[in-house]
Amino acid sequence: MDLNTLDKPQLIEKIKHLQAQLEEQQSVHYSHEFFASFIKHIPIPVAILKKVSLPNQKTRFVYQFVNSAVAKLNNKSINQHLGHALQDVLENETVAADIHASFDEVIETQEISIREINVPIEGTLGRLIEYHFPIKQDGKVISVGAALVDITKLTQALTEAETANKAKSIFLSQMSHEIRTPMNAIMGFAQLLIMQSKQSELSDKQMQCLHHIQNSGEQLLHIIDDLLDLSRIEAGKINVDIQDVNLSTLVQDAVSSMKNIANNRDISIIFQDKTQFLHVVRADKVRLTQVILNLLSNAIKYNKPAGTITLFTQQLPQQKLRISVQDYGLGMSESQQRNIFKPFERLGHENGPIPGCGIGLLICKKIMHALKGDINFGSEKGHGSRFWIDIPLSNTDSVEIIPHETKNKKTILRAENNILYVEDNPQDMMLMEMLVEKSLTDFNLLLAPNAELGLELAQTYNPKVILLDIRLPGLDGLQLLKTLKSLPNLKDCPIIAITADAPPKDIQIGMAAGFYAYLTKPIDMNSLVSTILKASASQP
């Protein structure tokens, strides 16, 4: 193009176009130079080879590029590689033929090849991961790239770790036997003395000492069992028999077995809604029970005296069920939460009165992984913790196939027959459970120990009647009443106050706020039943 024929605007536009082309070429050159320099100096061996066919000769792969790491590996200079065939550089026909075959496969399939190989490195046998990958231009493979990653030290470390782990397992097994033998005598004689206490002249103080011996022995055996269990799991020897498991029966049995321990600390274990557990899950019954018991045990140990533990479930996508254990105890700081699944982590209670060795949750995590499930938690310092496990549901899961203690199962499963009781006193909760089971068999009871959970349950289940304590931790009953009445689906729900606030002024304030009825403690059970039935009948 003759620039002299262009007018001034055309000439300016042409100059701008040429300038843009120059900048683009400079950018491409810079990128090429940058990546070439980067690959040349990284400590990972990288090479590019091209397949060459010569007349009357076998096909060969010739080096087009090598970095300094390749030169060091083969003990030859970069120039001794470039332009030379693979066989000539390696000077080992067997190894060269094997790599040649891998390159041919990469060209044919146009896919990356990854394999582990043994290569002599500085007089010793090294373990490498070898990557062969196609290099394309215009959709056609023009060369083959090769990269090597040295995993010799990693392989050695894994071998040493496996050897150490095996030695640890043998040691723990032998120590278990050596400890259990004298413990059998200690605990056995202690039990005999306790059994014969009626015929003996042991004082109350001596009996107390015997119980301390027995309890301490049991704690020591639990620690030994946990250590052995962890050792077996880490060695990959955990055996699980996954089958259909009746979750309701399993969880209720676990709660029953923990009742005495909970009662000793005046802690109540309650079900938010027992019908939530009417499911069939896929699990190993023994191992799932072990996990539930561990979560319940922790919720008891790290709870506040006279505290509460709430159990509830939530259905998840992909045919899974979440089982939650909520306590309102000590809770955890952020630093404690980061270490919760680490072995021997006691959350700062290493020297305190809370028993255990800090590996229970780690065992639970490994068990849940083996059961194709998961475990996680949420916690707030001073406000308690919630641990949950996600477990696969059976394809046969149906509430109808699980037997339940309630006489009128079909009625209980109707959402409109729910009664929600928001109360923080465990004894009052238990009393209400017994009353509903005996006198309100057409209803299902939902329990919430605080206003926040009560609000969540009310929005989820749309109960027919709500029973509400006034003095609740955090948000009080009157504030909760106002919030519930503001919700479109709950504004007409009858809400009955059940409280110890008995002065006439309090009753007047409560009724003016919108309570359907105001019952003061101690509650007359017959009056409560009739009030609930009347309130229920007032609903469409």
Side-chain angles (χ1 to χ4, degrees):
M1 178 181 291
D2 189 357
L3 298 179
N4 294 321
T5 62
L6 301 177
D7 57 24
K8 186 176 180 180
Q10 290 174 324
L11 184 60
I12 292 173
E13 188 65 31
K14 184 62 179 177
I15 292 172
K16 287 182 178 179
H17 179 69
L18 291 173
Q19 187 177 8
Q21 283 184 320
L22 179 61
E23 288 175 354
E24 184 179 356
Q25 289 177 356
Q26 288 175 338
S27 176
V28 171
H29 176 74
Y30 172 78
S31 297
H32 175 77
E33 187 177 7
F34 172 80
F35 284 109
S37 176
F38 174 76
I39 294 172
K40 181 178 179 181
H41 294 99
I42 61 172
I44 298 173
V46 178
I48 299 174
L49 298 93
K50 185 174 183 178
K51 192 172 185 178
V52 177
S53 299
L54 298 174
N56 303 321
Q57 291 186 15
K58 290 182 178 180
T59 308
R60 290 188 159 201
F61 281 93
V62 176
Y63 285 96
Q64 291 180 293
F65 169 86
V66 295
N67 64 0
S68 55
V70 173
K72 182 180 179 181
L73 178 67
N74 293 331
N75 199 25
K76 292 186 178 182
S77 68
I78 292 176
N79 288 331
Q80 286 177 307
H81 286 79
L82 299 180
H84 295 274
L86 180 70
Q87 291 89 333
D88 296 336
V89 173
L90 298 183
E91 297 178 351
N92 188 318
E93 287 292 334
T94 303
V95 173
D98 183 48
I99 297 174
H100 195 294
S102 177
F103 284 175
D104 283 335
E105 184 180 352
V106 169
I107 293 173
E108 182 180 350
T109 62
Q110 299 191 19
E111 293 181 353
I112 298 174
S113 169
I114 304 174
R115 60 182 186 171
E116 291 188 21
I117 58 172
N118 294 321
V119 175
I121 300 177
E122 298 177 352
T124 61
L125 192 63
R127 188 72 170 169
L128 305 177
I129 296 179
E130 187 177 52
Y131 296 85
H132 296 159
F133 50 93
I135 299 174
K136 298 180 182 180
Q137 187 174 23
D138 299 327
K140 183 180 179 181
V141 179
I142 58 170
S143 300
V144 178
L148 296 170
V149 178
D150 190 348
I151 59 168
T152 306
K153 292 183 178 179
L154 177 61
T155 304
Q156 291 173 348
L158 287 173
T159 302
E160 291 171 2
E162 288 173 359
T163 302
N165 195 52
K166 185 177 180 181
K168 179 189 70 175
S169 298
I170 295 172
F171 170 76
L172 287 173
S173 179
Q174 291 175 342
M175 285 303 298
S176 171
H177 179 268
E178 295 301 323
I179 293 173
R180 283 176 180 274
T181 301
M183 283 302 300
N184 181 61
I186 294 169
M187 295 182 66
F189 285 121
Q191 290 172 21
L192 280 175
L193 288 171
I194 292 171
M195 292 167 62
Q196 297 172 1
S197 60
K198 292 182 180 180
Q199 291 80 31
S200 65
E201 296 181 357
L202 295 177
S203 66
D204 291 341
K205 192 72 175 178
Q206 289 171 325
M207 285 297 299
Q208 188 179 11
C209 291
L210 286 174
H211 284 295
H212 281 316
I213 293 171
Q214 188 175 11
N215 292 335
S216 298
E218 289 173 354
Q219 288 178 18
L220 179 58
L221 290 179
H222 282 310
I223 291 172
I224 294 170
D225 288 339
D226 281 347
L227 287 170
L228 286 173
D229 209 4
L230 178 62
S231 178
R232 285 191 293 267
I233 291 172
E234 287 185 337
K237 294 179 180 179
I238 177 173
N239 296 316
V240 293
D241 179 18
I242 297 179
Q243 53 185 279
D244 285 357
V245 176
N246 182 327
L247 181 64
S248 178
T249 301
L250 183 146
V251 173
Q252 291 192 59
D253 288 346
V255 169
S256 296
S257 67
M258 298 298 293
K259 271 291 176 65
N260 287 338
I261 300 174
N263 290 339
N264 289 337
R265 293 198 61 197
D266 198 20
I267 290 173
S268 297
I269 304 175
I270 62 173
F271 289 88
Q272 186 184 93
D273 177 5
K274 285 186 178 180
T275 62
Q276 292 180 356
F277 291 83
L278 297 177
H279 288 283
V280 177
V281 297
R282 294 288 295 169
D284 181 300
K285 185 176 180 180
V286 174
R287 289 297 185 178
L288 182 58
T289 299
Q290 182 180 354
V291 172
I292 297 290
L293 288 174
N294 188 278
L295 297 184
L296 287 171
S297 175
N298 285 346
I300 293 170
K301 288 189 292 187
Y302 295 99
N303 213 323
K304 295 176 181 177
T308 304
I309 299 168
T310 306
L311 283 79
F312 55 96
T313 70
Q314 175 190 356
Q315 284 198 251
L316 303 176
Q318 300 179 337
Q319 194 69 4
K320 284 196 172 183
L321 185 74
R322 175 165 294 174
I323 305 167
S324 296
V325 178
Q326 170 84 57
D327 71 68
Y328 303 91
L330 304 177
M332 293 179 284
S333 65
E334 290 185 5
S335 61
Q336 289 173 330
Q337 292 179 39
R338 286 193 292 268
N339 299 321
I340 192 65
F341 291 112
K342 291 183 179 180
F344 309 109
E345 178 58 49
R346 295 293 318 283
L347 305 180
H349 297 280
E350 291 81 1
N351 300 317
I354 299 175
C357 62
I359 60 175
L361 284 174
L362 176 60
I363 292 173
C364 288
K365 186 174 184 177
K366 292 181 180 294
I367 290 174
M368 291 310 301
H369 179 73
L371 297 180
K372 301 177 182 178
D374 196 13
I375 182 171
N376 216 324
F377 69 96
S379 183
E380 184 179 352
K381 186 71 173 178
H383 295 279
S385 304
R386 177 168 74 96
F387 281 82
W388 65 82
I389 57 173
D390 297 340
I391 195 78
L393 286 165
S394 169
N395 291 329
T396 62
D397 177 52
S398 169
V399 295
E400 292 297 328
I401 67 171
I402 303 177
H404 192 257
E405 296 175 358
T406 308
K407 295 177 181 178
N408 197 340
K409 176 170 56 180
K410 291 184 179 178
T411 304
I412 276 191
L413 296 180
R414 289 166 53 198
E416 64 268 23
N417 280 342
N418 286 324
I419 297 174
L420 172 61
Y421 185 29
V422 186
E423 169 65 71
D424 64 322
N425 186 292
Q427 286 74 30
D428 288 345
M429 288 180 175
M430 189 178 301
L431 179 63
M432 190 62 68
E433 278 188 304
M434 295 175 65
L435 178 68
V436 171
E437 288 179 3
K438 298 285 186 182
S439 304
L440 295 165
T441 55
D442 287 342
F443 293 88
N444 178 47
L445 182 64
L446 306 174
L447 294 171
N450 56 57
E452 291 76 14
L453 183 57
L455 179 60
E456 182 180 339
L457 289 177
Q459 291 176 298
T460 303
Y461 290 96
N462 290 321
K464 198 159 190 177
V465 179
I466 297 176
L467 309 176
L468 182 57
D469 186 22
I470 299 294
R471 295 194 179 184
L472 293 167
L475 192 71
D476 68 32
L478 288 172
Q479 292 173 311
L480 178 58
L481 172 70
K482 184 178 179 181
T483 303
L484 291 170
K485 288 295 183 181
S486 69
L487 300 174
N489 60 322
L490 293 169
K491 61 183 179 66
D492 296 323
C493 176
I495 302 176
I496 302 170
I498 298 181
T499 177
D501 293 338
K505 184 179 178 181
D506 290 342
I507 297 174
Q508 186 179 2
I509 292 172
M511 294 303 293
F515 279 114
Y516 175 85
Y518 197 102
L519 304 181
T520 58
K521 300 176 182 178
I523 302 293
D524 180 83
M525 294 296 110
N526 291 325
S527 176
L528 175 59
V529 170
S530 63
T531 303
I532 291 173
L533 291 175
K534 184 179 177 181
S536 174
S538 69
Q539 296 302 297

